[in-house]
């Protein structure tokens, strides 16, 4: 065995195992299977033009060499990004722990109680600090959270405002520049008019529906917004505030002003800068808006034993239910980062957070006093961590950069300096030295901190926060380590067993891909540093863009979107810009097949398009005749088709090139949803099928871990005609020559996470990538054959093959009283996470094994499903007291003194032999979703609160 081959480590089945599998499938070779799966006319004729694969050892040397090219300056740029100290206990036990980073979104609550508790802690922390009633967990970054706030306030306008057509949104000129750019992108297509100005001169006119303020302002001034908010409330203008999370330990909570939404980022709660991400944005609002809040909310409910349990609340708001009526397309939450930020608060507690905030503030007042002693004017009258200094900026910049320090150069006469928790007297003296050297001033040394009263009394915090027991219990490393481990043990992740989620591609996240994320050479780079300080990052990002261009067959890539759904929005906005540039502003019809992902119609509406749904035929394929008819009917206004390939039901539709040609013939562009790229890489590509733009879920096909529901990265790749319109950033120019405004806050989105996909592609190379796709298809078809006769596959290709995933039809089991959810819960007893349930067809499960699972694991999963199938046979509609309806079975049940169920404990917990040596125990019984929605509790309340709340 070639021990240097990453491909051999990534792909699960060995060569001999593949031979056995091919025999089961009924083909002579892997190439024959691919021929029978993918239409020949879309097959690539050449292999991917990529460099030869590196071994893991070679790659780690390579990435460390590139990391050394990054210049890690002390960055005091601020603008929403600050160097933070990640506690080692969190780094080692969460960020670097596959038990946390390989978990899936907690849709199956009974085996996700650990991360659900961690997210509930996060929500509680956000509610406490912001003074709001409800928070989600979480959003992508501050800029997109602000855009979601604007969209929510637009959606919840009261009838009089809607009737009057109030569509103006006031944006304070104090807003962060990248946030303004994201707001512009989101506002224009849905008819919101942004008005930017000084909040002190705002006239509160009736044609405004909302406003957003920055707290503190972008250059550090802390304003008292209480009068502004009172006047806005009087005029029925709803207010959002973008607030620095650490400042809220010292500043009055925005909720006390009476605002409607508070947004921001939790990056400075222990999350690496990472050249812009990934970071968890936060969003807090009033309970009155609970059915409009974007993203995911973790709520308290009870299980079948009446015990407290957690789950994702109000799931009917999600896009697969609302579709084109959805006001947000958010699917990914930055869960892993939210968990880390929440744990930062758990570890430090109230007193620790107050200490850190005070230390940062005192450092800022000390620096301000020192510079004033040197004769420089500091202009902020009330500030938390950022001072604004009147100075000849260019002179200072030359000296500061020569000393390895970055400031924010506001204009030629002003510099802002944002301090952070890493700053001590040494760092303050280094800053002062820059001023002394630049202007040849007598040297002074700061020997102690000085705290002057610079925060206005009206905005000082006088309410408590983080009083809950959870934030006052785990302050030693021993206790914290055990608490993290306790939660981890409640969660099933890839380190336990395969997670065969159709459309979600839970594959190996190799350790060598993950290791660089802990390296400060990659972690401590501010997203707005000069490009010459990020040479290593620039090399990786340009190389990754090139790799993705090769994989997709397209001309250019933007890495800015930091989720798949955001990639959808970005792709459609680029199509919109293309039509506008051609003078075709009327082109606003988006055709979407009825089988499409729920985020597709939501994204189209956000991009200002009207959705027209096209039919699918009895085989689940796009109805070509219906598509033609609708394309021709709307040919004068056709903007785009959104299509998933291979299809959502796991089939390479033969008519795909005919479909894309129909759209082009009628003046539209083709957007391909990249959710199923794991079946394309190296064998076909979006350009070949006739698409014009696609997004790629790097957290699916390209190995970024799901992390419990995020981080996600969703870059878009485009054909030549769309290149000019790729998104830019107001601080660091990116994108095309005629770019749309920003999609997310940072120039390259979640740049740190991009290292993972770069490693994946670089270590696999052309052959490894292609072989991975082939084996993903082999694994799916092997499982399909093994399950034949037990479960029927709903759709297959023309030669009876599945792509990389398949839909198993469970609807017939209703006659036995068994629903598909019962199968999902019973799989937990067998140690498995359920496949995708009831999507894209209700009453089915969609299975995707990925290439990184071995034949042993595939067989184990098949054996579990076959065993469950036998249990279904024994079930009756008349007697629901059976092993499926009672699943999952907890350890507490099995060890109870009483057992009155009509089957044995062994049948309940150890139905197959392998479970006796490696048993994963669900920590709660089946949760009651309806109860949790009726009694919405989304913070760490005591159990009595929700038990007494039931109506």
């Amino acid at each position: 065995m070639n021990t240097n081959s990453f491909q051999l480590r990534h792909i699960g089945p060995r060569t001999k195992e593949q031979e056995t599998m091919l025999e089961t499938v009924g083909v002579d070779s892997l190439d024959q299977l691919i021929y029978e799966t993918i239409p020949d006319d879309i097959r690539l004729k050449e292999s991917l033009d990529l460099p030869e694969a590196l071994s893991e050892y070679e790659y780690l040397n390579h990435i460390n060499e590139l990391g050394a090219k990054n210049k890690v300056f002390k960055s005091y740029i601020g603008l929403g990004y600050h160097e933070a100290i990640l506690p080692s206990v969190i780094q080692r036990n969460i960020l670097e722990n596959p038990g946390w980073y390989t978990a899936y979104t907690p849709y199956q609550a009974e085996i996700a109680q650990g991360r659900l508790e961690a997210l509930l802690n996060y929500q509680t922390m956000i509610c406490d600090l912001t003074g709001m009633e409800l928070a989600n967990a979480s959003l992508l970054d501050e800029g997109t959270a602000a855009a979601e706030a604007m969209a929510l306030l637009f959606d919840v306008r009261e009838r009089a405002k809607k009737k009057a057509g109030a569509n103006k949104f006031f944006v304070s000129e104090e807003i962060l520049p990248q946030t303004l750019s994201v707001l512009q992108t989101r506002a224009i297509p849905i008819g919101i008019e942004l008005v930017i100005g000084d909040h002190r001169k705002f006239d509160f006119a009736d044609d405004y529906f909302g406003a957003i303020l920055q707290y503190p302002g972008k250059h550090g001034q802390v304003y008292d917004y209480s009068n502004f908010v009172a006047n806005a409330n009087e005029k029925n203008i709803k207010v959002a505030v973008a607030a620095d999370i650490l400042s809220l330990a010292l500043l009055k909570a925005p909720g006390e002003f009476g605002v409607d939404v508070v947004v921001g980022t939790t990056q400075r709660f222990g999350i690496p800068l990472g050249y812009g991400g990934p970071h968890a944005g936060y969003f807090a609002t009033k309970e009155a808006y609970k059915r409009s809040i974007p993203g995911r909310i973790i709520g308290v409910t009870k299980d079948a034993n009446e015990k407290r349990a957690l789950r994702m609340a109000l799931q009917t708001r999600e896009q697969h239910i609302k579709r084109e009526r959805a006001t947000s397309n958010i699917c990914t939450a930055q869960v892993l980062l939210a968990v880390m930020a929440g744990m930062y608060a758990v570890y430090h507690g109230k007193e620790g957070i107050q200490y850190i905030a005070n230390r940062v503030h005192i450092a800022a007042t000390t620096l301000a006093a020192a510079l004033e002693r040197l004769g420089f004017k500091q202009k902020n009258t009330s500030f938390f961590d950022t001072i604004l200094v009147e100075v000849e900026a260019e002179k200072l910049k030359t000296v500061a950069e020569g000393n390895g320090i970055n400031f924010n150069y506001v204009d030629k006469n002003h510099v802002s300096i944002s301090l952070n928790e890493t700053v001590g007297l040494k760092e303050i003296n280094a800053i002062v030295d820059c001023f002394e050297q630049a202007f040849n001033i007598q040297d002074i040394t700061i020997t102690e901190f000085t705290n002057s009263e610079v925060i206005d009394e009206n905005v000082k915090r006088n309410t408590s926060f983080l009083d809950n027991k959870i934030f006052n219990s785990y302050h030693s490393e021993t206790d914290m380590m055990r608490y993290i481990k306790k939660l981890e043990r409640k969660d099933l992740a890839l380190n336990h067993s395969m997670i065969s989620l159709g459309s979600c591609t839970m594959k190996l996240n190799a350790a060598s891909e993950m290791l660089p994320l802990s390296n400060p050479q990659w972690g401590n780079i501010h997203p707005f540093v000069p490009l010459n300080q990020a040479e290593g990052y620039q090399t990786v990002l340009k190389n990754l863009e090139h790799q993705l261009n090769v994989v997709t067959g397209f001309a250019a890539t933007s890495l800015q979107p930091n989720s798949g759904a955001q990639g959808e929005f970005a792709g459609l906005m680029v199509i919109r810009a293309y039509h506008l540039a051609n003078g075709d502003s009327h082109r606003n019809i988006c055709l979407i097949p009825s089988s499409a992902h729920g985020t597709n119609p939501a994204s189209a509406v956000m991009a200002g398009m009207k959705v027209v749904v096209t039919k699918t035929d009895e085989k689940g394929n796009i109805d070509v005749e219906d598509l033609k008819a609708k394309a021709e009917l709307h040919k004068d206004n056709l903007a785009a088709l959104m299509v998933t390939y291979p299809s959502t039901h796991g089939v390479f539709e033969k008519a795909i090139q005919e479909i894309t040609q129909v759209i082009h013939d009628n003046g539209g562009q083709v957007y391909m949803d990249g959710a199923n790229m794991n079946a394309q890489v190296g064998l076909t590509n979006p350009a070949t099928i006739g698409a014009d733009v696609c997004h790629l879920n790097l957290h699916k096909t390209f190995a970024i871990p799901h992390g419990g529901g995020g981080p996600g990265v969703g870059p878009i790749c485009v054909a030549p005609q769309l290149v000019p319109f790729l998104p830019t950033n107001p601080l660091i120019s990116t994108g095309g020559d005629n770019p749309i405004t920003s999609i997310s806050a940072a120039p390259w989105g979640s740049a740190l996470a991009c290292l993972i996909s770069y490693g994946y592609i670089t270590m696999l190379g052309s052959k490894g990538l292609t072989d991975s796709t082939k084996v993903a298809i082999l694994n799916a078809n092997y499982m399909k054959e093994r399950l034949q006769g037990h479960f029927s596959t709903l759709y297959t290709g023309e030669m009876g093959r599945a792509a990389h995933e398949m839909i198993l039809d469970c609807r017939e089991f209703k006659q036995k009283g068994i629903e598909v959810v019962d199968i999902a819960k019973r799989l937990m007893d067998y140690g498995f996470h359920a496949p995708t349930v009831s999507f894209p067809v209700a009453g089915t499960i969609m299975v995707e094994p990925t290439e990184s699972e071995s034949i042993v694991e595939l067989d184990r999963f098949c054996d579990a499903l076959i065993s469950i199938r036998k249990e279904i046979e024994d079930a009756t509609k008349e007697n629901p007291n059976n092993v499926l309806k009672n699943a999952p079975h907890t350890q507490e049940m099995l060890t109870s003194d009483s057992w009155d169920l009509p089957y044995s404990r062994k049948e309940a917990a150890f139905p197959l032999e392998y479970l006796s040596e490696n048993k994963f125990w669900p920590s709660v019984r089946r949760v009651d979703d309806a109860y949790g929605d009726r009694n919405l509790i989304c913070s760490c309340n005591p159990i009595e609160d929700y038990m007494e709340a039931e109506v």
Side-chain angles (χ1 to χ4, degrees):
M1 183 176 80
N2 180 1
T3 58
N4 289 324
S5 170
F6 177 73
Q7 176 179 337
L8 289 178
R9 306 302 190 185
H10 175 75
I11 294 175
R14 309 293 86 191
T15 304
K16 284 193 183 307
E17 292 173 347
Q18 289 180 31
E19 290 170 5
T20 301
M21 295 163 74
L22 290 166
E23 192 176 324
T24 301
V25 171
V27 291
D28 295 330
S29 67
L30 198 47
D31 286 338
Q32 183 188 341
L33 174 61
I34 300 305
Y35 171 77
E36 293 180 6
T37 305
I38 303 178
D40 204 44
D41 59 349
I42 62 166
R43 285 288 305 278
L44 298 180
K45 307 305 179 216
E46 305 286 338
S47 58
L48 297 173
D49 185 15
L50 292 170
E52 194 172 324
L54 299 184
S55 70
E56 292 183 66
Y57 176 74
E58 290 168 335
Y59 172 72
L60 288 172
N61 284 333
H62 165 71
I63 203 69
N64 286 336
E65 286 168 9
L66 288 180
K69 292 184 178 183
N70 292 324
K71 298 172 184 173
V72 183
F73 284 17
K74 293 298 288 185
S75 286
Y76 306 114
I77 297 168
L79 297 176
Y81 298 94
H82 305 268
E83 187 178 351
I85 299 171
L86 170 58
S88 299
V89 65
I90 297 174
Q91 175 176 321
R92 173 58 57 89
N93 292 290
I94 295 179
L95 177 62
E96 298 174 349
N97 182 352
W100 284 94
Y101 68 68
T102 70
Y104 181 58
T105 307
Y107 287 117
Q108 298 295 337
E110 297 83 356
I111 50 174
Q113 290 294 299
R115 84 197 82 120
L116 285 166
E117 180 173 326
L119 292 174
L120 193 72
N121 296 344
Y122 173 88
Q123 289 176 179
T124 305
M125 170 190 86
I126 298 299
C127 288
D128 279 7
L129 285 165
T130 61
M132 301 304 285
E133 296 165 335
L134 184 65
N136 67 15
S138 54
L139 294 186
L140 302 171
D141 58 23
E142 182 168 333
T144 53
E148 292 296 339
M150 176 182 68
L152 179 143
L153 297 182
F154 189 56
D155 182 52
V156 301
R157 288 173 299 166
E158 291 177 15
R159 188 174 299 173
K161 288 278 184 186
K162 287 183 178 177
K163 197 172 178 182
N167 72 332
K168 286 185 178 178
F169 188 70
F170 175 76
V171 181
S172 166
E173 60 192 17
E174 290 287 337
I175 207 79
L176 300 176
Q178 69 272 21
T179 298
L180 174 59
S181 189
V182 176
L183 286 170
Q184 289 167 331
T185 309
R186 188 73 180 272
I188 294 167
I190 58 175
I192 294 174
E193 181 185 341
L194 297 186
V195 179
I196 301 137
D198 185 339
H199 72 274
R200 293 166 294 189
K201 299 174 183 175
F202 183 50
D203 63 1
F204 302 95
D206 289 340
D207 51 355
Y208 286 89
F209 70 87
I212 188 167
L213 308 167
Q214 191 80 42
Y215 184 60
K218 64 183 175 183
H219 299 136
Q221 178 69 31
V222 177
Y223 295 96
D224 179 359
Y225 291 127
S226 53
N227 287 338
F228 180 97
V229 176
N231 289 333
N233 288 341
E234 200 173 297
K235 291 297 186 79
N236 202 11
I237 296 170
K238 300 185 188 303
V239 181
V241 169
D244 178 286
I245 193 73
L246 185 61
S247 75
L248 298 183
L250 302 186
L251 302 181
K252 185 177 286 188
E256 291 186 63
F257 301 154
V259 303
D260 296 277
V261 183
V262 187
V263 298
T265 173
T266 54
Q267 178 269 317
R268 69 189 307 175
F269 273 28
I271 311 300
L273 284 164
Y275 205 37
H279 308 139
Y282 74 81
F283 190 108
T285 188
K286 296 176 176 177
E287 191 165 348
Y289 304 138
K290 67 186 179 184
R291 299 216 170 255
S292 298
I293 185 171
R296 297 174 179 149
I297 309 170
I298 308 310
V300 179
T301 187
K302 59 183 181 178
D303 73 358
N305 280 357
E306 300 280 315
K307 288 183 64 177
R308 180 180 186 272
L310 307 175
R311 29 72 86 184
M312 293 202 323
L314 301 175
Q315 289 185 21
T316 53
R317 295 175 304 98
E318 295 211 27
Q319 291 74 25
H320 64 278
I321 303 292
K322 284 190 171 182
R323 300 182 77 79
E324 67 270 17
R325 292 182 297 106
T327 54
S328 167
N329 70 347
I330 287 181
C331 193
T332 302
Q334 300 286 42
V335 170
L336 185 68
L337 296 313
V339 165
M340 290 168 64
M343 288 296 186
Y344 179 93
V346 169
Y347 191 43
H348 290 311
K350 175 185 177 179
E351 291 181 5
I353 297 296
Q354 281 181 322
Y355 172 81
I356 293 165
N358 274 313
R359 183 182 167 90
V360 170
H361 176 59
I362 292 168
T365 61
T366 302
L367 176 61
L371 294 179
E372 283 169 349
R373 276 172 58 195
L374 292 174
F376 296 97
K377 186 177 180 184
Q378 197 287 117
K379 301 186 76 172
N380 288 336
T381 55
S382 178
F383 61 87
F384 165 61
D385 65 352
T386 300
I387 60 174
L388 181 64
V389 184
E390 207 170 85
V391 66
E392 192 178 335
E394 201 55 45
K395 261 190 178 180
L396 180 63
K397 183 178 182 182
T398 302
V399 172
E401 290 184 358
N403 283 288
I405 291 174
N406 291 316
F407 301 130
N408 179 38
Y409 301 96
V410 177
D411 56 38
K412 65 180 183 179
N413 294 316
H414 295 92
V415 170
S416 69
I417 305 171
S418 297
L419 302 189
N420 58 65
E421 67 170 313
T422 70
V423 173
L425 290 174
K426 176 186 171 187
E427 287 75 20
I428 291 171
N429 278 299
I431 293 170
V432 171
D433 282 349
C434 293
F435 281 81
E436 292 168 341
Q437 290 172 36
F439 301 99
N440 199 23
I441 299 172
Q442 183 182 352
D443 186 31
I444 63 168
T445 301
I446 314 303
T447 57
E448 60 182 5
F449 288 108
T450 56
N451 186 17
S452 50
E453 288 293 326
V454 296
I455 297 178
D456 191 295
E457 281 296 325
N458 293 334
V459 293
K460 280 187 177 177
R461 185 168 194 125
N462 53 24
T463 54
S464 195
F465 61 94
L466 301 186
D467 292 325
N468 191 281
K469 183 180 177 184
I470 204 73
F471 301 109
N472 295 282
S473 301
Y474 305 110
H475 301 325
S476 78
E477 182 166 339
T478 306
D479 286 341
M480 187 65 181
M481 175 184 67
R482 288 173 184 157
Y483 176 62
I484 292 171
K485 182 58 68 174
K486 181 180 89 168
L487 297 192
E488 182 196 338
R489 282 197 299 265
K490 295 180 180 183
D491 282 13
L492 189 146
L494 276 179
N495 61 335
H496 288 285
S497 57
M498 72 185 288
I499 301 178
S500 59
L501 286 148
S503 200
C504 288
T505 317
M506 299 287 291
K507 64 171 68 179
L508 170 71
N509 313 120
S512 292
E513 296 159 8
M514 300 298 294
L515 285 173
L517 272 65
S518 298
N519 185 339
Q521 292 292 133
W522 296 107
N524 282 348
I525 308 287
H526 192 287
F528 301 140
V529 299
L531 292 180
N532 64 9
Q533 292 179 28
E535 189 181 330
Y537 260 118
Q538 288 299 311
T539 300
V540 166
L541 297 172
K542 281 173 184 162
N543 286 352
L544 178 58
E545 286 174 4
H546 173 71
Q547 290 168 336
L548 298 179
N549 292 343
V550 170
V551 165
T552 58
F554 281 141
T557 293
S558 169
L559 295 168
Q560 195 175 115
N562 49 20
S563 82
Q566 208 178 70
E568 291 178 18
F569 177 57
L572 292 172
M573 288 298 287
V574 164
I575 289 174
R576 179 181 179 275
Y578 166 78
H579 287 311
L580 289 174
N582 291 336
D584 291 335
S585 58
H586 53 280
R587 290 195 173 273
N588 67 344
I589 299 294
C590 186
L591 301 183
I592 301 181
S594 59
S595 60
H597 290 100
T599 53
N600 287 181
S603 297
V605 170
M606 282 170 51
M609 297 181 185
K610 293 178 180 175
V611 173
V612 173
V613 178
T614 67
K615 297 176 185 173
T616 51
D617 63 22
E618 69 282 354
K619 293 183 179 177
N621 298 322
I622 292 171
D623 185 324
V624 179
E625 292 310 311
D626 183 61
L627 179 101
K628 278 183 181 175
K630 284 172 177 163
E632 287 167 9
L633 176 66
H634 297 289
K635 64 181 179 182
D636 294 334
N637 298 309
L638 183 62
L641 165 74
M642 296 187 81
V643 62
T644 301
Y645 200 75
S647 65
T648 310
H649 52 274
V651 173
F652 285 93
E653 297 184 42
K654 196 168 178 60
I656 188 63
Q657 287 181 316
E658 180 186 358
I659 288 166
T660 57
Q661 190 60 49
V662 166
I663 302 305
H664 291 144
D665 289 346
N666 289 282
Q669 296 281 286
V670 176
Y671 170 90
M672 194 205 84
D673 186 309
N676 293 339
M677 264 312 281
N678 210 45
Q680 281 199 43
V681 179
L683 301 178
T684 184
N685 65 34
T688 298
I689 71 167
D692 301 289
V693 54
C694 74
H695 88 266
L696 300 172
N697 296 97
L698 298 192
H699 47 289
K700 294 181 181 181
T701 305
F702 299 95
I704 292 175
H706 284 64
V713 179
I716 55 169
C717 308
V718 297
Q721 75 275 15
L722 298 181
V723 173
F725 310 105
L726 289 174
T728 189
N729 179 278
L731 293 156
I732 304 284
S733 181
T734 62
D737 297 331
N738 186 19
I740 62 171
T741 44
S742 301
I743 290 294
S744 63
W748 288 275
S750 294
L752 183 64
C754 287
L755 296 178
I756 304 165
S757 296
Y758 176 64
Y760 172 83
I761 296 171
T762 303
M763 287 188 283
L764 279 174
S766 175
K767 185 176 185 303
L769 288 168
T770 306
D771 287 351
S772 292
T773 309
K774 290 178 177 178
V775 174
I777 292 170
L778 171 63
N779 281 2
N781 281 279
Y782 173 73
M783 289 181 72
K784 174 177 166 290
E785 294 305 318
R786 275 227 51 204
L787 295 170
Q788 197 88 33
H790 304 283
F791 294 86
S792 57
T793 305
L794 198 53
Y795 303 115
T796 58
E798 292 194 356
M799 297 189 191
R801 301 301 181 195
H804 64 316
E805 62 189 5
M806 75 203 98
I807 296 174
L808 302 180
D809 195 350
C810 303
R811 291 172 294 187
E812 64 180 282
F813 307 142
K814 285 190 176 190
Q815 64 190 6
K816 293 278 189 179
I818 301 301
E819 302 288 340
V820 68
V821 69
D822 300 320
I823 298 171
K825 302 308 179 189
R826 181 59 174 153
L827 271 167
M828 298 175 190
D829 290 330
Y830 286 82
F832 286 107
H833 194 291
T836 302
V837 174
S838 285
F839 177 82
V841 179
T844 65
I845 56 175
M846 184 160 61
V847 181
E848 181 184 350
T850 84
E851 71 274 13
S852 55
E853 299 298 343
S854 68
I855 190 172
V856 173
E857 188 71 354
L858 299 178
D859 281 338
R860 205 163 66 88
F861 185 75
C862 289
D863 289 345
L865 275 180
I866 291 166
S867 177
I868 288 171
R869 181 68 181 85
K870 290 173 185 169
E871 292 170 351
I872 293 170
E873 280 305 305
D874 295 336
T876 63
K877 207 168 193 174
E878 295 70 34
N879 184 11
N881 190 14
N882 59 54
V883 72
L884 284 120
K885 286 292 184 184
N886 292 327
H889 298 81
T890 62
Q891 192 171 39
E892 184 182 10
M893 286 176 71
L894 268 288
T895 55
S896 171
D897 290 340
S898 63
W899 182 265
D900 57 0
L901 297 173
Y903 48 87
S904 70
R905 297 175 201 253
K906 185 174 187 294
E907 287 176 274
F910 300 99
L912 291 178
E913 188 60 36
Y914 70 82
L915 292 161
S916 61
E917 64 175 49
N918 186 23
K919 173 71 179 173
F920 178 88
W921 292 99
S923 54
V924 296
R925 293 195 63 195
R926 197 175 302 197
V927 301
D928 187 335
D929 288 321
Y931 178 92
D933 282 348
R934 288 197 310 272
N935 306 283
L936 188 64
I937 293 178
C938 300
S939 56
C940 302
N941 297 44
I943 194 167
E944 292 78 18
D945 282 14
Y946 77 92
M947 285 303 188
E948 292 169 6
E950 188 170 14
V951 177

